[in-house]
Amino acid sequence: KNQVEQSPQSLIILEGKNCTLQCNYTVSPFSNLRWYKQDTGRGPVSLTIMTFSENTKSNGRYTATLDADTKQSSLHITASQLSDSASYICVVSANSNYQLIWGAGTKLIIKP
Amino acid sequence: GAVVSQHPSRVICKSGTSVKIECRSLDFQATTMFWYRQFPKQSLMLMATSNEGSKATYEQGVEKDKFLINHASLTLSTLTVTSAHPEDSSFYICSARPPGLAGDGTQYFGPGTRLLVL
């Protein structure tokens, strides 16, 4: 069964600190993996997209990694800001029908 | 580019009434649009896939007679929640797939519509 699991479910850190969010997936055949940021009451916004051959992708203070062998991905946020408070969702695209398999998300709260 | 809008952003209605939500791709044509529902503290759940000029494809467990989808043009899809009940209260999000990018699953999301049924 195609699944995407994220951890932790929620995370609270102080402004300026770094953090890493995890995503494990069992999706086959794999097409790509995206990290989305969803602010409360808003639609998701894409942060990064990685295909099978890519190990890392950066977007400003966001750096995503992908290990296709272990089927794990991480999203690292450096020098966190209050505006980083949001839900971060890992989404894997299955190659067979371009279906998107959504993780439950990690709710990140940045405290001043 | 690649902006998707939704209207209204929030709506409150009485139980038994119908509510229409519009999803528009503002700067590109979208042959395929998607409708999602999101309950508090949960991730998005795909309700249906809407293709311009044809009937929508509904996910298992989604009542097609309750959630009417119309994709009449390449830039507009509508979701009508018929005879809404309090359990239909949720956050409804649409997305649109740009032409030529179907292969990698790219979708651009609208800002969502908060529906509260009293």
Side-chain angles (χ1 to χ4, degrees):
Chain A
K1 180 181 179 182
N2 289 332
Q3 282 186 318
V4 175
E5 295 183 350
Q6 292 186 244
S7 62
Q9 187 174 32
S10 62
L11 181 63
I12 302 174
I13 64 172
L14 293 175
E15 184 180 10
K17 298 295 185 181
N18 304 336
C19 66
T20 300
L21 313 181
Q22 300 291 342
C23 173
N24 297 334
Y25 62 92
T26 55
V27 176
S28 182
F30 174 88
S31 176
N32 57 62
L33 184 147
R34 284 180 167 81
W35 282 93
Y36 283 95
K37 178 186 179 187
Q38 185 181 21
D39 293 313
T40 301
R42 307 291 294 176
V45 174
S46 181
L47 295 175
T48 62
I49 174 174
M50 287 183 292
T51 59
F52 184 88
S53 60
E54 296 176 293
N55 301 119
T56 184
K57 182 76 68 80
S58 291
N59 178 1
R61 293 179 296 102
Y62 301 103
T63 299
T65 65
L66 175 65
D67 186 333
D69 292 331
T70 61
K71 299 187 177 181
Q72 295 179 326
S73 177
S74 67
L75 180 68
H76 186 73
I77 304 174
T78 58
S80 61
Q81 300 176 0
L82 296 178
S83 59
D84 292 332
S85 295
S87 288
Y88 291 83
I89 308 172
C90 176
V91 183
V92 180
S93 178
N95 205 30
S96 56
N97 56 3
Y98 312 119
Q99 177 190 9
L100 297 183
I101 296 94
W102 293 76
T106 292
K107 185 171 178 61
L108 177 64
I109 298 174
I110 311 298
K111 291 202 166 184
Chain B
V3 177
V4 176
S5 70
Q6 280 185 242
H7 177 79
S9 58
R10 59 178 63 208
V11 58
I12 301 174
C13 68
K14 293 182 179 180
S15 184
T17 60
S18 294
V19 175
K20 180 185 283 188
I21 303 170
E22 292 186 350
C23 176
R24 293 181 185 273
S25 57
L26 298 185
D27 49 4
F28 65 97
Q29 293 183 333
T31 54
T32 304
M33 290 183 171
F34 303 87
W35 286 97
Y36 294 84
R37 181 167 51 183
Q38 186 176 30
F39 291 107
K41 298 184 179 181
Q42 295 185 23
S43 192
L44 279 69
M45 292 178 56
L46 180 65
M47 298 175 65
T49 301
S50 167
N51 293 297
E52 187 267 337
S54 63
K55 291 184 178 180
T57 303
Y58 290 81
E59 294 300 302
Q60 190 173 7
V62 178
E63 301 175 58
K64 62 180 181 181
D65 294 330
K66 181 168 184 61
F67 299 99
L68 302 179
I69 292 173
N70 186 297
H71 193 157
S73 78
L74 290 172
T75 59
L76 173 64
S77 177
T78 61
L79 168 68
T80 301
V81 183
T82 61
S83 185
H85 291 283
E87 58 266 28
D88 298 324
S89 298
S90 187
F91 191 52
Y92 292 86
I93 304 175
C94 75
S95 69
R97 175 184 288 166
L101 293 178
D104 68 359
T106 295
Q107 298 176 25
Y108 296 105
F109 290 84
T113 296
R114 176 76 59 190
L115 171 63
L116 177 61
V117 184
L118 303 177

PDB file of all heavy atoms in Angstrom, chain B residues 56 68 97:
ATOM      1  N   ALA B  56     -16.566  14.521 -13.795  1.00  0.00           N
ATOM      2  CA  ALA B  56     -15.505  14.419 -12.801  1.00  0.00           C
ATOM      3  C   ALA B  56     -15.349  12.978 -12.342  1.00  0.00           C
ATOM      4  O   ALA B  56     -16.297  12.181 -12.393  1.00  0.00           O
ATOM      5  CB  ALA B  56     -15.814  15.316 -11.608  1.00  0.00           C
ATOM      6  N   LEU B  68     -21.296  18.252  -6.324  1.00  0.00           N
ATOM      7  CA  LEU B  68     -21.404  18.404  -7.776  1.00  0.00           C
ATOM      8  C   LEU B  68     -20.254  19.231  -8.313  1.00  0.00           C
ATOM      9  O   LEU B  68     -19.991  20.320  -7.827  1.00  0.00           O
ATOM     10  CB  LEU B  68     -22.747  19.072  -8.137  1.00  0.00           C
ATOM     11  CG  LEU B  68     -24.006  18.350  -7.668  1.00  0.00           C
ATOM     12  CD1 LEU B  68     -25.243  19.127  -8.070  1.00  0.00           C
ATOM     13  CD2 LEU B  68     -24.065  16.936  -8.210  1.00  0.00           C
ATOM     14  N   ARG B  97      -3.802  21.811 -12.665  1.00  0.00           N
ATOM     15  CA  ARG B  97      -2.592  21.245 -13.282  1.00  0.00           C
ATOM     16  C   ARG B  97      -2.300  21.997 -14.570  1.00  0.00           C
ATOM     17  O   ARG B  97      -3.131  22.008 -15.476  1.00  0.00           O
ATOM     18  CB  ARG B  97      -2.807  19.770 -13.572  1.00  0.00           C
ATOM     19  CG  ARG B  97      -1.657  19.101 -14.326  1.00  0.00           C
ATOM     20  CD  ARG B  97      -2.000  17.661 -14.660  1.00  0.00           C
ATOM     21  NE  ARG B  97      -1.975  16.827 -13.491  1.00  0.00           N
ATOM     22  CZ  ARG B  97      -2.486  15.596 -13.444  1.00  0.00           C
ATOM     23  NH1 ARG B  97      -3.082  15.097 -14.504  1.00  0.00           N
ATOM     24  NH2 ARG B  97      -2.410  14.874 -12.342  1.00  0.00           N
TER      25      ARG B  97
END
